[in-house]
Amino acid sequence: MNDDQSRNGSSGKGFLDKLANFLSGEPQSQSDILEILTNAHHSGLVESEALGIFQGALQVSDMQVREIMIPRAQCIVINSSAKPDEYLPPIIESAHSRFPVYGESPDDIIGILLAKDLLDLAYKGKLEKTQLKDLIRPATLVPESKRLNVLLREFRQTRTHMAVVVNEYGKMSGLVTIEDVLEQIVGEIDDEHDFDDDYMIKESDDNEFVVKAVTPIDEFNEHFATKFNEDEYDTIGGIVLSHFGHLPKRDESVNIGKYNFTVLNADNRAIRLLKVSQIQHS
């Protein structure tokens, strides 16, 4: 047996011994579990994607709804007394499938409207004669402090896809979907911000652009007439991450040069999508 075989055999045996010890008794902590999985990855027994999913699954038990929810300011809510010409434009423009409906005030959420419930009525010409109160479904309310693993289990048990997040005073502070939770485990899932894979940069509004974090620096420089160093980083996401100094969450923003970068989509491993706008000086 040569040295390489000896070393590989010893390494493999060491990992198997650890795995046997792990399986024969209760792990002492999450770090013990991650150590086993990381060693399995280094030994070629667990692929990188699988390791990432394991890590994400363990992490959700330590995370709370407030860390991933869509903030109230970014939510589209509909007045229960609104007419079709008032609520249809934001529904169509956003292309979302579920919308909180409120009564006397935006904090008084009385139910959830599913966009698909409007289709049959619109087809039959009955939309104008139907009140939203007759269409809404019960809303699921969850506190900001709820653990993500608990929420995911409740989503599965009730077959619910979205919940209204409320603060300690019972007022709406945001929304959370089953997709938001799953993204913490498996990474990015296509959402309303995503666009054709053939494009890295898309104009979303006047002087505002949605940019994939994996956009090469040279492509970003060419489009925005910037001069970011192409030798230090390969993608615009790398530059933005370096300026944050930490892995940012959704809605965090930073100014770099004459542009503001806001995180639209990020998981527990990487920035995915950015909103880029030129800083307006007063």
Side-chain angles (χ1 to χ4, degrees):
M1 179 182 295
N2 59 36
D3 290 343
D4 288 340
Q5 290 175 320
S6 176
R7 283 194 295 269
N8 290 338
S10 175
S11 175
K13 184 178 179 180
F15 165 72
L16 293 176
D17 287 341
K18 287 185 177 181
L19 182 59
N21 290 334
F22 168 69
L23 294 175
S24 63
E26 291 293 328
Q28 298 300 309
S29 65
Q30 284 192 6
S31 61
D32 291 343
I33 300 175
L34 288 175
E35 181 182 359
I36 294 294
L37 295 173
T38 301
N39 288 336
H41 170 59
H42 292 159
S43 300
L45 300 178
V46 175
E47 295 183 356
S48 297
E49 289 186 2
L51 178 61
I53 291 174
F54 283 133
Q55 291 172 328
L58 290 172
Q59 185 173 355
V60 296
S61 63
D62 290 328
M63 297 179 68
Q64 297 179 334
V65 169
R66 62 166 58 91
E67 298 179 60
I68 68 166
M69 70 179 186
I70 303 166
R72 169 68 182 83
Q74 294 185 16
C75 299
I76 298 174
V77 294
I78 298 174
N79 191 323
S80 61
S81 62
K83 301 300 181 183
D85 60 346
E86 297 173 314
Y87 64 73
L88 283 179
I91 288 178
I92 295 172
E93 183 179 356
S94 68
H96 295 173
S97 57
R98 294 171 176 80
F99 301 85
V101 177
Y102 66 90
E104 296 181 358
S105 73
D107 288 319
D108 176 30
I109 303 299
I110 60 176
I112 300 294
L113 172 68
L114 271 61
K116 68 178 184 179
D117 289 342
L118 301 174
L119 296 178
D120 186 58
L121 292 171
Y123 178 73
K124 295 177 180 178
K126 298 180 179 180
L127 208 55
E128 290 285 350
K129 301 177 182 179
T130 305
Q131 294 186 350
L132 286 180
K133 291 181 179 179
D134 298 328
L135 295 175
I136 60 176
R137 306 189 184 197
T140 299
L141 305 181
V142 299
E144 295 179 357
S145 59
K146 182 176 283 291
R147 298 286 182 182
L148 294 191
N149 59 328
V150 176
L151 177 63
L152 181 58
R153 183 168 61 250
E154 292 178 357
F155 273 150
R156 293 180 60 193
Q157 291 173 344
T158 61
R159 297 189 177 184
T160 304
H161 288 242
M162 184 175 75
V164 177
V165 185
V166 294
N167 60 23
E168 58 186 308
Y169 304 106
K171 295 184 177 181
M172 177 182 176
S173 56
L175 291 173
V176 63
T177 68
I178 190 170
E179 178 181 302
D180 294 324
V181 181
L182 291 176
E183 282 187 342
Q184 303 306 311
I185 301 174
V186 301
E188 179 189 17
I189 301 173
D190 289 348
D191 63 13
E192 69 273 14
H193 294 300
D194 291 310
F195 47 94
D196 196 318
D197 285 340
D198 292 337
Y199 298 91
M200 290 290 183
I201 301 171
K202 177 184 177 182
E203 186 169 8
S204 62
D205 202 349
D206 291 339
N207 299 318
E208 284 191 358
F209 298 82
V210 176
V211 179
K212 292 184 178 180
V214 294
T215 302
I217 296 298
D218 58 347
E219 186 173 335
F220 187 91
N221 282 339
E222 181 179 355
H223 191 282
F224 291 95
T226 49
K227 296 181 180 179
F228 291 124
N229 193 326
E230 299 176 26
D231 296 327
E232 292 186 32
Y233 300 97
D234 296 325
T235 66
I236 189 61
I239 288 180
V240 172
L241 183 61
S242 69
H243 279 74
F244 273 114
H246 65 276
L247 186 58
K249 298 177 182 178
R250 182 183 298 180
D251 299 320
E252 287 193 62
S253 63
V254 64
N255 292 337
I256 307 175
K258 60 180 181 180
Y259 288 97
N260 174 266
F261 295 81
T262 300
V263 177
L264 292 178
N265 190 305
D267 58 28
N268 59 343
R269 293 178 285 279
I271 300 173
R272 303 295 182 182
L273 214 58
L274 297 161
K275 180 177 73 176
V276 181
S277 58
Q278 192 163 356
I279 300 172
Q280 302 296 325
H281 298 286
S282 57

